[in-house]
């Protein structure tokens, strides 16, 4: 713990940081509300201009009929899966072994909805068409996460997506998009959000990843699906009297950043190349397909905490605030590029990576 | 619909309003954040100073060991009941026929938690000790709502509460307090929150009723109960990355209004007396025991919409923004007193009620 704190501490004292949009502090809210008229009325249990306007914008973006704003993606996705299971009277869904539902939700899908998850494919790669075709159990719904976050944000090709979609439609399997970071992969696919979403029956998007809002999620689909989702939202305790603090922020930062997703993607490729040029360092994927990737070091976590803490103090550039032990002699962490990268002076950046390379060589 | 809109419209154009703290608009948020430093860090999935400090304050207020902030009371209470049911391996709870869980939550308790509700007592009065003793089915938990909102905010005597609590402890029935409006009944009971909560195993309080925050709820109890509640909060999709917009507002308005609950209670008694002095008008309860009561008119909704709309236009005082049909010849609505009542000039108030009395006499 002391080591990790040391890494976090030196990170917090740096002048520049490689990843993110900046601190998650109250200023994020204040900035979003700065130009909002105090007389703007709150939404009220899902009704009102502020929520309806944003929902319409998100429905249009994803090319779906209707959208509903949720306090969280956890809630939105469990509900989407429940609706598709109920429709088919089959309480079984399929998703990747490292899906958010599998590893971060305390088994909510099972404990609350009594839905069984069939883990599909290998945890170290994205789901392939073959994985879907070879599914031995009948499922009501397949959830695909684009990009697959826990393996560095990897993607199937768009052609694979199209084939999986066709296959699922043929077999009557509903397709739910875990698009927490959907907007961040559009530059790689060279597609609009609607073109990707067209392959799916229902879509979830986060408003606080690439968009950088405070919290919240959008679920889109056909009118019957969304009408149902609103009933379940109330059952879950998600139909708050007021969701506007999240909606106003989501809308504000959406407008600020929707045009910057390609910038973040290009920056991620540039930064990954800098890491990969260092001895004993590799990114996953080697060439990013979104604004995110993982960095793997061929050294123990203990060694790397010491090395990176020193490097951060020496260079003033925040590289990592935490590390995850992978093996005895390897560790990794995640980076998602945002507004901050553009502010790092290129010369300082280059020097920092030269230093990282040298230090890694000394260690090996 | 046109009639109701007419009532809402004339209400919205009045200079003064009898009930509430004012409009639920963005100014509520802006005011709460005005003096908050932008550098204050967001809470993060339930951790961080901003959420922990408020939770500690609420635990101390209710005299419980620990508290957890929830996005909604719906979520908090379903979870409380689930925990007590799991502990007793009995999926049955008892509550009033007009409990929020029964009439406003789309059967979430059953659909999500598979818990059966036993409706206890008569819907037109509060639950008595006899109702509890005569329960024919074994239940894991009894939920009591103080005050019972849907019947005008009525209360059992404190002695009855003590007896119900003793009986439940003896019988191994857990007692959950639906204290959405708990702070509002303390002046009547002449007790501290902790003294009331001491009779219960777990307690829910809303932060946007008398307190007047934006949204959110507090659940308090013993450490094991709260640790469990946090796991369920994640399962429900309520463990948001940031809840600070609600927490900062809750804390701000708590400090503003916790000392005013007696004022609201006294005002409610004064205002109820004004209503009861009018021909064909009666409040429920006749003498309020909190800041709230219902007003019943001995006229059809249609007649009263016309009458009150005219009265609001004539006097500039907002009396009602909606009416609920009760019978063919009766209708009612709910009032919860807050900051606005004090601003109504007493002379204008008196004239308005004289006029109401005259108009009611003319109608009869």
């Amino acid at each position: 713990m002391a080591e990790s704190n040391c890494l976090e501490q030196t990170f917090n004292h740096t002048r520049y940081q490689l990843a993110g949009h900046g601190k998650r502090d109250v200023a994020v809210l204040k900035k979003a509300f700065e130009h909002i008229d105090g007389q703007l009325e709150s939404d009220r249990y899902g009704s009102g201009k502020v929520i309806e306007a944003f929902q319409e914008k998100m429905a249009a973006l994803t090319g779906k009929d209707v959208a509903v704003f949720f306090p969280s993606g956890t809630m939105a996705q469990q509900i989407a899966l429940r609706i598709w299971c109920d429709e088919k009277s089959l309480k079984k869904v399929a998703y990747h072994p490292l899906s958010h539902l599998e590893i971060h939700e305390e088994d909510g899908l099972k404990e609350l909805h009594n839905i069984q998850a069939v883990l599909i494919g290998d945890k170290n790669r994205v789901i392939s068409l073959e994985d879907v075709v070879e599914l031995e159990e009948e499922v009501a719904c397949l959830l695909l996460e684009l990009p697959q976050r826990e393996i560095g944000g990897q993607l199937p090709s768009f052609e694979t997506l199209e084939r999986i979609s066709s296959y699922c439609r043929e077999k009557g399997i509903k397709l739910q998009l875990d698009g927490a970071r959907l907007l961040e992969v559009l530059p790689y696919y060279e597609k609009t959000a609607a073109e990707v979403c067209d392959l799916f029956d229902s879509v979830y998007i986060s408003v606080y990843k690439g968009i950088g809002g405070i919290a919240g999620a959008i679920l889109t689909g056909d009118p019957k699906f969304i009408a149902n989702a609103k009933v379940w939202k109330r059952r879950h305790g998600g139909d708050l009297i007021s969701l506007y603090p999240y909606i106003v922020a989501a809308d504000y930062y959406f407008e600020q950043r929707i045009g910057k997703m390609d910038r973040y993607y290009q920056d991620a490729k540039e930064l990954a190349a800098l890491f990969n040029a260092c001895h004993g360092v590799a990114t996953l994927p080697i060439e990013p397909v979104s604004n995110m990737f993982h960095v793997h070091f061929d050294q123990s976590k203990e060694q790397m905490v010491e090395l990176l803490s020193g490097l951060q103090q020496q260079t003033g550039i925040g590289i990592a605030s935490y590390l995850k032990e992978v093996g005895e002699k390897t560790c990794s962490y995640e980076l998602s590029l945002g507004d901050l990268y553009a502010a790092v002076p290129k010369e300082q950046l280059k020097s920092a990576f030269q230093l990282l390379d040298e230090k890694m060589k000394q260690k090996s």
Side-chain angles (χ1 to χ4, degrees), chain A residues 16-88:
Chain A
Y16 304 105
Q17 292 88 39
L18 299 180
H21 297 308
K23 284 208 166 64
R24 289 187 58 85
D25 58 20
V26 165
V28 172
L29 178 143
K30 289 198 158 204
K31 205 173 160 202
F33 277 85
E34 207 167 16
H35 301 292
I36 301 288
D37 188 334
Q39 296 194 309
L40 178 68
E41 267 186 62
S42 170
D43 52 310
R44 195 174 170 86
Y45 299 117
S47 297
K49 204 174 136 189
V50 69
I51 189 166
E52 286 161 16
F54 188 65
Q55 288 175 167
E56 281 163 24
K57 189 189 274 191
M58 292 299 109
L61 176 82
T62 57
K64 299 291 181 198
D65 299 310
V66 219
V68 55
F69 191 93
F70 272 94
S72 75
T74 296
M75 194 186 291
Q77 294 218 105
Q78 283 183 24
I79 286 173
L81 298 182
R82 173 66 182 258
I83 292 169
W84 295 135
C85 282
D86 282 354
E87 193 179 278
K88 209 172 176 172

Side-chain angles (χ1 to χ4, degrees), chain A residues 189-254:
Chain A
Y189 276 145
E190 297 182 323
K191 300 285 177 193
T192 64
E195 283 169 331
V196 178
C197 296
D198 191 42
L199 305 176
F200 294 83
D201 297 288
S202 51
V203 172
Y204 142 65
I205 298 179
S206 170
V207 302
Y208 67 88
K209 307 295 182 336
I211 295 174
I214 298 172
I218 279 288
L219 187 66
T220 72
D222 68 51
K224 188 182 152 202
F225 171 85
I226 292 297
N228 245 324
K230 287 181 179 176
V231 172
W232 280 106
K233 180 182 167 191
R234 175 153 284 237
R235 287 177 179 148
H236 259 256
D239 191 19
L240 309 194
I241 185 168
S242 298
L243 281 165
Y244 75 82
Y246 300 133
I247 297 167
V248 167
D251 195 32
Y252 176 81
Y253 291 110
F254 176 82

Side-chain angles (χ1 to χ4, degrees), chain A residues 247-267:
Chain A
I247 297 167
V248 167
D251 195 32
Y252 176 81
Y253 291 110
F254 176 82
E255 292 301 334
Q256 299 278 311
R257 293 181 178 131
I258 185 64
K260 291 184 175 176
M261 295 295 160
D262 185 55
R263 175 78 268 142
Y264 304 150
Y265 166 50
Q266 301 302 336
D267 287 347

Side-chain angles (χ1 to χ4, degrees), chain A residues 108-124:
Chain A
L109 194 66
K110 174 137 195 10
E111 297 288 340
L112 283 170
H113 295 284
N114 200 24
I115 293 174
Q116 191 193 323
V118 179
L119 303 183
I120 177 173
D122 184 287
K123 77 179 170 66
N124 295 312

Side-chain angles (χ1 to χ4, degrees), chain A residues 315-332:
Chain A
T315 63
I317 295 181
I319 297 169
S321 63
Y322 77 97
L323 285 171
K324 221 170 103 178
E325 196 169 272
V326 178
E328 218 175 291
K329 278 281 180 192
T330 51
C331 59
S332 75

Side-chain angles (χ1 to χ4, degrees), chain A residues 90 92-94 116-119 132 134-140 173:
Chain A
L90 173 65
K92 220 178 261 186
V93 298
Q116 191 193 323
V118 179
L119 303 183
V132 183
E134 287 164 12
L135 250 182
E136 283 175 7
E137 296 179 78
E138 197 191 355
V139 297
I173 300 168

